[in-house]
Amino acid sequence: MTDSWLALEPGADPAERTRTLRRAHEAFTAAGTVSRPVRSVVAESWRRSVRAGVGPDGAASVELMDGELGAYRAEHPLARVMPLVRELMGTFAADGEHLLAVCDAHGRLLWVEGHPATRRRADAMNFVPGARWAESAVGTNAPGTAMAVGRPVQVFTAEHFIRRVQPWTCAAAPVHDPRTGQVLGAVDITGGDGLAHPHSLGFVQAVARAAESQLALTAPKPPCGEGAELAALGRDEALLTADGRRVRLSRRHSEIVVLLALHPEGLTGDELLCALYEDETVPPVTLRAELARLRGILGPAWLASRPYRLTMPVESDVTVVERRLRAGAVTGAATAYAGPLLPGSQAPAVVRLRRRLADGLRAALIARRDPDLLADWAHAPWGEDDLDVWRALAAVRPTAAVHSRLAALESELAAPRAP
């Protein structure tokens, strides 16, 4: 299998490629085997489709009807960017006899617009507003698979899992909430073989990024005094921003605020002692003194006791990365990750959180197999000796420089340690 992100390589014959894919699809549906010409992103999607119980002769079902659809999409966050999506994609879709489509995070089509004749053809396979096109519902398709893997995807003819969709080609990219990283849905362009081109994949990705930028500009801002932001990744002293004030915290105060931000319900004195100090003999008065100093820095209204808790919501870069990872927004999580959490801290709870966050992100990067994301991690100070990441990078970007660094790392790890 090939790892190419392109459905049709430049210069390839679309008709021959379609015939080859149809034979591969029939072999897979008959015996579960994937032949070599099938791209890995498609093969993995076919396997997920089977595990989800999708059959090759299935069809999309309409879940949102008439008034229910209208009310739902009017309140959906992506409604705010539809004028922009139409401006960027409308002429392209009409001139090329394609369709532009936007779906929600469940794969339900909210808008399907474009050439009238193409829309009539798409109606026959229920590619209509209100229909659910999640990968788990109709198998491999661009919007559903793009959300399943968290990156732009192009699906060419017989790469679609359901046979009735195989005359079509589509490209889609997920759209994320710029604040939380949560997947809101996807933008899609659907039509004929002409879409099997690198430009269509880059096009939908650019539209998705423009939509995210527009969402960031139009998002309602929280009223002053309703929260704060905490930056603690890649720095030993956290930076707290609230009410127009920026406060650089000491290492111990950074640890306390990080832990309290992650536990808005609060922590008891004993819980904080265990979380902050390796030495179990540290007396409670030591912690109380640190909390008194912190209260003096933040202001008495910010820190409550019994249990100890922050009285206003604090959005930390730690929670942003964790939330994006849970949402499958690996690119967004990697972008928000500025480095290990409070790298100089030895507080037991911070050490555990630092490892959990880094391990979760690196595992997601390795699974994603995105060469740019892997390279960013490998060349960062915290990833320069990460053997697993360098091996993953060598598999998807086998350059001489990458292989040289990988060989050096493997040699270092294999060398016996001096007594």
mmCIF file of all heavy atoms in Angstrom, residues 257-299:
data_model
loop_
_atom_site.group_PDB
_atom_site.id
_atom_site.type_symbol
_atom_site.label_atom_id
_atom_site.label_comp_id
_atom_site.label_asym_id
_atom_site.label_seq_id
_atom_site.Cartn_x
_atom_site.Cartn_y
_atom_site.Cartn_z
ATOM 1 N N VAL A 257 -1.006 26.999 40.921
ATOM 2 C CA VAL A 257 -2.047 27.513 40.028
ATOM 3 C C VAL A 257 -2.369 26.511 38.921
ATOM 4 O O VAL A 257 -3.539 26.333 38.557
ATOM 5 C CB VAL A 257 -1.628 28.876 39.440
ATOM 6 C CG1 VAL A 257 -2.632 29.353 38.395
ATOM 7 C CG2 VAL A 257 -1.521 29.914 40.556
ATOM 8 N N VAL A 258 -1.364 25.818 38.385
ATOM 9 C CA VAL A 258 -1.618 24.788 37.377
ATOM 10 C C VAL A 258 -2.552 23.718 37.936
ATOM 11 O O VAL A 258 -3.540 23.323 37.305
ATOM 12 C CB VAL A 258 -0.302 24.156 36.885
ATOM 13 C CG1 VAL A 258 -0.559 22.827 36.171
ATOM 14 C CG2 VAL A 258 0.422 25.105 35.944
ATOM 15 N N LEU A 259 -2.259 23.243 39.147
ATOM 16 C CA LEU A 259 -3.070 22.176 39.736
ATOM 17 C C LEU A 259 -4.472 22.655 40.072
ATOM 18 O O LEU A 259 -5.458 21.941 39.852
ATOM 19 C CB LEU A 259 -2.377 21.622 40.979
ATOM 20 C CG LEU A 259 -1.040 20.918 40.706
ATOM 21 C CD1 LEU A 259 -0.371 20.506 42.010
ATOM 22 C CD2 LEU A 259 -1.249 19.702 39.811
ATOM 23 N N LEU A 260 -4.600 23.856 40.597
ATOM 24 C CA LEU A 260 -5.931 24.369 40.920
ATOM 25 C C LEU A 260 -6.738 24.662 39.658
ATOM 26 O O LEU A 260 -7.962 24.493 39.644
ATOM 27 C CB LEU A 260 -5.818 25.626 41.788
ATOM 28 C CG LEU A 260 -5.254 25.417 43.201
ATOM 29 C CD1 LEU A 260 -5.221 26.741 43.955
ATOM 30 C CD2 LEU A 260 -6.071 24.384 43.974
ATOM 31 N N ALA A 261 -6.063 25.101 38.600
ATOM 32 C CA ALA A 261 -6.772 25.344 37.333
ATOM 33 C C ALA A 261 -7.342 24.056 36.764
ATOM 34 O O ALA A 261 -8.410 24.047 36.137
ATOM 35 C CB ALA A 261 -5.831 25.995 36.322
ATOM 36 N N LEU A 262 -6.644 22.940 36.998
ATOM 37 C CA LEU A 262 -7.105 21.643 36.505
ATOM 38 C C LEU A 262 -8.127 21.003 37.436
ATOM 39 O O LEU A 262 -8.736 19.987 37.090
ATOM 40 C CB LEU A 262 -5.917 20.697 36.319
ATOM 41 C CG LEU A 262 -4.927 21.096 35.218
ATOM 42 C CD1 LEU A 262 -3.715 20.192 35.234
ATOM 43 C CD2 LEU A 262 -5.595 21.055 33.863
ATOM 44 N N HIS A 263 -8.298 21.572 38.631
ATOM 45 C CA HIS A 263 -9.273 21.052 39.605
ATOM 46 C C HIS A 263 -10.153 22.213 40.076
ATOM 47 O O HIS A 263 -10.016 22.696 41.198
ATOM 48 C CB HIS A 263 -8.562 20.408 40.799
ATOM 49 C CG HIS A 263 -7.781 19.185 40.453
ATOM 50 N ND1 HIS A 263 -6.469 19.246 40.006
ATOM 51 C CD2 HIS A 263 -8.122 17.867 40.446
ATOM 52 C CE1 HIS A 263 -6.045 18.018 39.766
ATOM 53 N NE2 HIS A 263 -7.027 17.161 40.026
ATOM 54 N N PRO A 264 -11.047 22.681 39.211
ATOM 55 C CA PRO A 264 -11.870 23.835 39.598
ATOM 56 C C PRO A 264 -12.739 23.570 40.816
ATOM 57 O O PRO A 264 -13.177 24.518 41.478
ATOM 58 C CB PRO A 264 -12.723 24.089 38.342
ATOM 59 C CG PRO A 264 -12.673 22.819 37.564
ATOM 60 C CD PRO A 264 -11.345 22.204 37.855
ATOM 61 N N GLU A 265 -12.975 22.285 41.125
ATOM 62 C CA GLU A 265 -13.751 21.957 42.325
ATOM 63 C C GLU A 265 -12.950 22.168 43.592
ATOM 64 O O GLU A 265 -13.508 22.215 44.696
ATOM 65 C CB GLU A 265 -14.238 20.507 42.248
ATOM 66 C CG GLU A 265 -13.171 19.451 42.485
ATOM 67 C CD GLU A 265 -12.208 19.211 41.324
ATOM 68 O OE1 GLU A 265 -12.366 19.888 40.277
ATOM 69 O OE2 GLU A 265 -11.332 18.347 41.460
ATOM 70 N N GLY A 266 -11.625 22.320 43.450
ATOM 71 C CA GLY A 266 -10.759 22.589 44.585
ATOM 72 C C GLY A 266 -10.010 21.374 45.089
ATOM 73 O O GLY A 266 -10.332 20.229 44.767
ATOM 74 N N LEU A 267 -8.968 21.620 45.899
ATOM 75 C CA LEU A 267 -8.163 20.568 46.511
ATOM 76 C C LEU A 267 -7.989 20.883 47.995
ATOM 77 O O LEU A 267 -7.829 22.049 48.380
ATOM 78 C CB LEU A 267 -6.779 20.489 45.844
ATOM 79 C CG LEU A 267 -6.745 20.052 44.373
ATOM 80 C CD1 LEU A 267 -5.351 20.262 43.793
ATOM 81 C CD2 LEU A 267 -7.158 18.591 44.225
ATOM 82 N N THR A 268 -8.020 19.856 48.803
ATOM 83 C CA THR A 268 -7.781 20.061 50.232
ATOM 84 C C THR A 268 -6.304 20.326 50.481
ATOM 85 O O THR A 268 -5.455 20.099 49.603
ATOM 86 C CB THR A 268 -8.206 18.830 51.033
ATOM 87 O OG1 THR A 268 -7.335 17.732 50.688
ATOM 88 C CG2 THR A 268 -9.650 18.434 50.733
ATOM 89 N N GLY A 269 -5.992 20.785 51.677
ATOM 90 C CA GLY A 269 -4.596 21.016 52.025
ATOM 91 C C GLY A 269 -3.771 19.753 51.922
ATOM 92 O O GLY A 269 -2.635 19.770 51.426
ATOM 93 N N ASP A 270 -4.328 18.627 52.398
ATOM 94 C CA ASP A 270 -3.595 17.356 52.314
ATOM 95 C C ASP A 270 -3.370 16.938 50.866
ATOM 96 O O ASP A 270 -2.295 16.426 50.518
ATOM 97 C CB ASP A 270 -4.377 16.260 53.050
ATOM 98 C CG ASP A 270 -4.320 16.424 54.565
ATOM 99 O OD1 ASP A 270 -3.436 17.158 55.046
ATOM 100 O OD2 ASP A 270 -5.170 15.825 55.249
ATOM 101 N N GLU A 271 -4.377 17.149 50.018
ATOM 102 C CA GLU A 271 -4.222 16.792 48.605
ATOM 103 C C GLU A 271 -3.150 17.650 47.940
ATOM 104 O O GLU A 271 -2.341 17.129 47.144
ATOM 105 C CB GLU A 271 -5.559 16.956 47.885
ATOM 106 C CG GLU A 271 -6.585 15.893 48.246
ATOM 107 C CD GLU A 271 -7.959 16.178 47.664
ATOM 108 O OE1 GLU A 271 -8.290 17.376 47.463
ATOM 109 O OE2 GLU A 271 -8.708 15.209 47.411
ATOM 110 N N LEU A 272 -3.114 18.916 48.256
ATOM 111 C CA LEU A 272 -2.085 19.787 47.694
ATOM 112 C C LEU A 272 -0.703 19.420 48.202
ATOM 113 O O LEU A 272 0.274 19.440 47.436
ATOM 114 C CB LEU A 272 -2.390 21.248 48.020
ATOM 115 C CG LEU A 272 -3.168 22.048 46.978
ATOM 116 C CD1 LEU A 272 -3.428 23.459 47.471
ATOM 117 C CD2 LEU A 272 -2.424 22.090 45.638
ATOM 118 N N LEU A 273 -0.606 19.073 49.482
ATOM 119 C CA LEU A 273 0.695 18.651 50.029
ATOM 120 C C LEU A 273 1.234 17.456 49.262
ATOM 121 O O LEU A 273 2.402 17.427 48.865
ATOM 122 C CB LEU A 273 0.563 18.309 51.514
ATOM 123 C CG LEU A 273 0.732 19.453 52.517
ATOM 124 C CD1 LEU A 273 0.410 18.956 53.921
ATOM 125 C CD2 LEU A 273 2.149 20.015 52.475
ATOM 126 N N CYS A 274 0.395 16.445 49.062
ATOM 127 C CA CYS A 274 0.832 15.238 48.339
ATOM 128 C C CYS A 274 1.170 15.549 46.887
ATOM 129 O O CYS A 274 2.078 14.938 46.314
ATOM 130 C CB CYS A 274 -0.258 14.172 48.402
ATOM 131 S SG CYS A 274 -0.552 13.504 50.053
ATOM 132 N N ALA A 275 0.428 16.484 46.301
ATOM 133 C CA ALA A 275 0.648 16.809 44.893
ATOM 134 C C ALA A 275 1.925 17.602 44.669
ATOM 135 O O ALA A 275 2.565 17.478 43.615
ATOM 136 C CB ALA A 275 -0.541 17.602 44.358
ATOM 137 N N LEU A 276 2.336 18.394 45.674
ATOM 138 C CA LEU A 276 3.442 19.336 45.489
ATOM 139 C C LEU A 276 4.772 18.859 46.030
ATOM 140 O O LEU A 276 5.824 19.242 45.512
ATOM 141 C CB LEU A 276 3.097 20.677 46.141
ATOM 142 C CG LEU A 276 1.961 21.479 45.491
ATOM 143 C CD1 LEU A 276 1.558 22.636 46.390
ATOM 144 C CD2 LEU A 276 2.392 21.994 44.123
ATOM 145 N N TYR A 277 4.770 18.045 47.098
ATOM 146 C CA TYR A 277 6.011 17.730 47.799
ATOM 147 C C TYR A 277 6.288 16.234 47.786
ATOM 148 O O TYR A 277 5.429 15.427 48.151
ATOM 149 C CB TYR A 277 5.945 18.225 49.254
ATOM 150 C CG TYR A 277 5.759 19.720 49.385
ATOM 151 C CD1 TYR A 277 4.496 20.259 49.640
ATOM 152 C CD2 TYR A 277 6.828 20.599 49.250
ATOM 153 C CE1 TYR A 277 4.305 21.640 49.755
ATOM 154 C CE2 TYR A 277 6.652 21.969 49.365
ATOM 155 C CZ TYR A 277 5.391 22.487 49.622
ATOM 156 O OH TYR A 277 5.212 23.847 49.738
ATOM 157 N N GLU A 278 7.503 15.899 47.356
ATOM 158 C CA GLU A 278 7.941 14.499 47.440
ATOM 159 C C GLU A 278 8.175 14.093 48.884
ATOM 160 O O GLU A 278 7.928 12.953 49.273
ATOM 161 C CB GLU A 278 9.233 14.314 46.635
ATOM 162 C CG GLU A 278 9.070 14.475 45.136
ATOM 163 C CD GLU A 278 10.392 14.288 44.413
ATOM 164 O OE1 GLU A 278 11.241 15.193 44.479
ATOM 165 O OE2 GLU A 278 10.564 13.215 43.801
ATOM 166 N N ASP A 279 8.658 15.025 49.678
ATOM 167 C CA ASP A 279 8.977 14.772 51.084
ATOM 168 C C ASP A 279 7.688 14.804 51.901
ATOM 169 O O ASP A 279 7.047 15.850 52.048
ATOM 170 C CB ASP A 279 9.960 15.840 51.585
ATOM 171 C CG ASP A 279 10.440 15.575 53.002
ATOM 172 O OD1 ASP A 279 9.924 14.634 53.647
ATOM 173 O OD2 ASP A 279 11.321 16.311 53.471
ATOM 174 N N GLU A 280 7.303 13.659 52.445
ATOM 175 C CA GLU A 280 6.053 13.571 53.188
ATOM 176 C C GLU A 280 6.126 14.242 54.548
ATOM 177 O O GLU A 280 5.103 14.388 55.229
ATOM 178 C CB GLU A 280 5.645 12.101 53.355
ATOM 179 C CG GLU A 280 5.345 11.407 52.031
ATOM 180 C CD GLU A 280 4.943 9.960 52.226
ATOM 181 O OE1 GLU A 280 4.918 9.508 53.397
ATOM 182 O OE2 GLU A 280 4.640 9.282 51.226
ATOM 183 N N THR A 281 7.323 14.667 54.944
ATOM 184 C CA THR A 281 7.460 15.299 56.266
ATOM 185 C C THR A 281 7.274 16.822 56.189
ATOM 186 O O THR A 281 7.358 17.496 57.225
ATOM 187 C CB THR A 281 8.841 14.991 56.871
ATOM 188 O OG1 THR A 281 9.868 15.590 56.057
ATOM 189 C CG2 THR A 281 9.071 13.491 56.964
ATOM 190 N N VAL A 282 7.055 17.361 55.003
ATOM 191 C CA VAL A 282 6.841 18.806 54.893
ATOM 192 C C VAL A 282 5.582 19.176 55.691
ATOM 193 O O VAL A 282 4.509 18.611 55.457
ATOM 194 C CB VAL A 282 6.683 19.230 53.419
ATOM 195 C CG1 VAL A 282 6.280 20.697 53.320
ATOM 196 C CG2 VAL A 282 7.977 18.977 52.656
ATOM 197 N N PRO A 283 5.666 20.119 56.609
ATOM 198 C CA PRO A 283 4.514 20.445 57.448
ATOM 199 C C PRO A 283 3.485 21.281 56.690
ATOM 200 O O PRO A 283 3.828 22.046 55.771
ATOM 201 C CB PRO A 283 5.138 21.252 58.594
ATOM 202 C CG PRO A 283 6.357 21.859 57.999
ATOM 203 C CD PRO A 283 6.878 20.854 57.015
ATOM 204 N N PRO A 284 2.204 21.171 57.057
ATOM 205 C CA PRO A 284 1.154 21.951 56.393
ATOM 206 C C PRO A 284 1.394 23.453 56.447
ATOM 207 O O PRO A 284 0.962 24.183 55.556
ATOM 208 C CB PRO A 284 -0.106 21.557 57.169
ATOM 209 C CG PRO A 284 0.197 20.210 57.739
ATOM 210 C CD PRO A 284 1.659 20.226 58.054
ATOM 211 N N VAL A 285 2.090 23.936 57.501
ATOM 212 C CA VAL A 285 2.312 25.368 57.627
ATOM 213 C C VAL A 285 3.138 25.904 56.460
ATOM 214 O O VAL A 285 2.980 27.065 56.051
ATOM 215 C CB VAL A 285 2.992 25.697 58.980
ATOM 216 C CG1 VAL A 285 4.412 25.133 59.024
ATOM 217 C CG2 VAL A 285 3.004 27.192 59.219
ATOM 218 N N THR A 286 4.014 25.067 55.894
ATOM 219 C CA THR A 286 4.811 25.482 54.735
ATOM 220 C C THR A 286 3.914 25.785 53.543
ATOM 221 O O THR A 286 4.083 26.790 52.849
ATOM 222 C CB THR A 286 5.831 24.389 54.364
ATOM 223 O OG1 THR A 286 6.687 24.148 55.479
ATOM 224 C CG2 THR A 286 6.672 24.796 53.162
ATOM 225 N N LEU A 287 2.957 24.896 53.302
ATOM 226 C CA LEU A 287 2.018 25.111 52.196
ATOM 227 C C LEU A 287 1.146 26.330 52.468
ATOM 228 O O LEU A 287 0.898 27.135 51.566
ATOM 229 C CB LEU A 287 1.153 23.870 51.998
ATOM 230 C CG LEU A 287 0.042 23.994 50.952
ATOM 231 C CD1 LEU A 287 0.616 24.307 49.574
ATOM 232 C CD2 LEU A 287 -0.787 22.716 50.902
ATOM 233 N N ARG A 288 0.663 26.471 53.695
ATOM 234 C CA ARG A 288 -0.194 27.614 54.007
ATOM 235 C C ARG A 288 0.537 28.934 53.772
ATOM 236 O O ARG A 288 -0.047 29.915 53.311
ATOM 237 C CB ARG A 288 -0.695 27.516 55.452
ATOM 238 C CG ARG A 288 -1.761 26.441 55.651
ATOM 239 C CD ARG A 288 -2.522 26.668 56.942
ATOM 240 N NE ARG A 288 -1.678 26.492 58.111
ATOM 241 C CZ ARG A 288 -1.521 25.332 58.763
ATOM 242 N NH1 ARG A 288 -2.158 24.240 58.327
ATOM 243 N NH2 ARG A 288 -0.758 25.268 59.827
ATOM 244 N N ALA A 289 1.829 28.964 54.074
ATOM 245 C CA ALA A 289 2.611 30.176 53.845
ATOM 246 C C ALA A 289 2.709 30.488 52.347
ATOM 247 O O ALA A 289 2.600 31.654 51.925
ATOM 248 C CB ALA A 289 4.005 30.017 54.445
ATOM 249 N N GLU A 290 2.905 29.438 51.514
ATOM 250 C CA GLU A 290 2.971 29.650 50.068
ATOM 251 C C GLU A 290 1.623 30.168 49.544
ATOM 252 O O GLU A 290 1.571 31.070 48.705
ATOM 253 C CB GLU A 290 3.329 28.347 49.355
ATOM 254 C CG GLU A 290 4.767 27.890 49.550
ATOM 255 C CD GLU A 290 5.765 28.750 48.759
ATOM 256 O OE1 GLU A 290 5.350 29.718 48.098
ATOM 257 O OE2 GLU A 290 6.961 28.441 48.825
ATOM 258 N N LEU A 291 0.532 29.610 50.061
ATOM 259 C CA LEU A 291 -0.788 30.029 49.607
ATOM 260 C C LEU A 291 -1.092 31.465 50.034
ATOM 261 O O LEU A 291 -1.736 32.223 49.292
ATOM 262 C CB LEU A 291 -1.850 29.074 50.143
ATOM 263 C CG LEU A 291 -1.845 27.687 49.470
ATOM 264 C CD1 LEU A 291 -2.625 26.686 50.300
ATOM 265 C CD2 LEU A 291 -2.405 27.762 48.064
ATOM 266 N N ALA A 292 -0.627 31.838 51.220
ATOM 267 C CA ALA A 292 -0.822 33.222 51.676
ATOM 268 C C ALA A 292 -0.073 34.188 50.769
ATOM 269 O O ALA A 292 -0.593 35.260 50.412
ATOM 270 C CB ALA A 292 -0.354 33.359 53.126
ATOM 271 N N ARG A 293 1.158 33.825 50.380
ATOM 272 C CA ARG A 293 1.926 34.692 49.477
ATOM 273 C C ARG A 293 1.245 34.770 48.105
ATOM 274 O O ARG A 293 1.197 35.832 47.476
ATOM 275 C CB ARG A 293 3.362 34.175 49.343
ATOM 276 C CG ARG A 293 4.226 34.470 50.565
ATOM 277 C CD ARG A 293 5.694 34.174 50.287
ATOM 278 N NE ARG A 293 5.971 32.754 50.315
ATOM 279 C CZ ARG A 293 6.336 32.075 51.417
ATOM 280 N NH1 ARG A 293 6.448 32.710 52.576
ATOM 281 N NH2 ARG A 293 6.585 30.781 51.359
ATOM 282 N N LEU A 294 0.720 33.622 47.640
ATOM 283 C CA LEU A 294 0.039 33.607 46.343
ATOM 284 C C LEU A 294 -1.218 34.479 46.389
ATOM 285 O O LEU A 294 -1.510 35.222 45.438
ATOM 286 C CB LEU A 294 -0.323 32.167 45.958
ATOM 287 C CG LEU A 294 -1.090 31.988 44.646
ATOM 288 C CD1 LEU A 294 -0.302 32.522 43.463
ATOM 289 C CD2 LEU A 294 -1.429 30.506 44.429
ATOM 290 N N ARG A 295 -1.963 34.399 47.483
ATOM 291 C CA ARG A 295 -3.161 35.225 47.628
ATOM 292 C C ARG A 295 -2.796 36.710 47.588
ATOM 293 O O ARG A 295 -3.522 37.532 47.030
ATOM 294 C CB ARG A 295 -3.898 34.872 48.916
ATOM 295 C CG ARG A 295 -5.235 35.600 49.067
ATOM 296 C CD ARG A 295 -5.965 35.193 50.340
ATOM 297 N NE ARG A 295 -6.576 33.878 50.207
ATOM 298 C CZ ARG A 295 -6.163 32.788 50.850
ATOM 299 N NH1 ARG A 295 -5.114 32.854 51.666
ATOM 300 N NH2 ARG A 295 -6.782 31.643 50.691
ATOM 301 N N GLY A 296 -1.663 37.061 48.183
ATOM 302 C CA GLY A 296 -1.219 38.447 48.167
ATOM 303 C C GLY A 296 -0.863 38.922 46.771
ATOM 304 O O GLY A 296 -1.035 40.102 46.445
ATOM 305 N N ILE A 297 -0.371 38.007 45.919
ATOM 306 C CA ILE A 297 -0.002 38.362 44.546
ATOM 307 C C ILE A 297 -1.246 38.480 43.666
ATOM 308 O O ILE A 297 -1.402 39.434 42.898
ATOM 309 C CB ILE A 297 0.974 37.307 43.976
ATOM 310 C CG1 ILE A 297 2.309 37.369 44.717
ATOM 311 C CG2 ILE A 297 1.181 37.524 42.473
ATOM 312 C CD1 ILE A 297 3.235 36.226 44.382
ATOM 313 N N LEU A 298 -2.151 37.492 43.783
ATOM 314 C CA LEU A 298 -3.323 37.472 42.914
ATOM 315 C C LEU A 298 -4.419 38.412 43.382
ATOM 316 O O LEU A 298 -5.186 38.937 42.572
ATOM 317 C CB LEU A 298 -3.893 36.038 42.836
ATOM 318 C CG LEU A 298 -2.971 34.956 42.280
ATOM 319 C CD1 LEU A 298 -3.694 33.622 42.266
ATOM 320 C CD2 LEU A 298 -2.487 35.315 40.890
ATOM 321 N N GLY A 299 -4.511 38.598 44.683
ATOM 322 C CA GLY A 299 -5.614 39.359 45.256
ATOM 323 C C GLY A 299 -6.503 38.415 46.056
ATOM 324 O O GLY A 299 -6.695 37.253 45.659
#
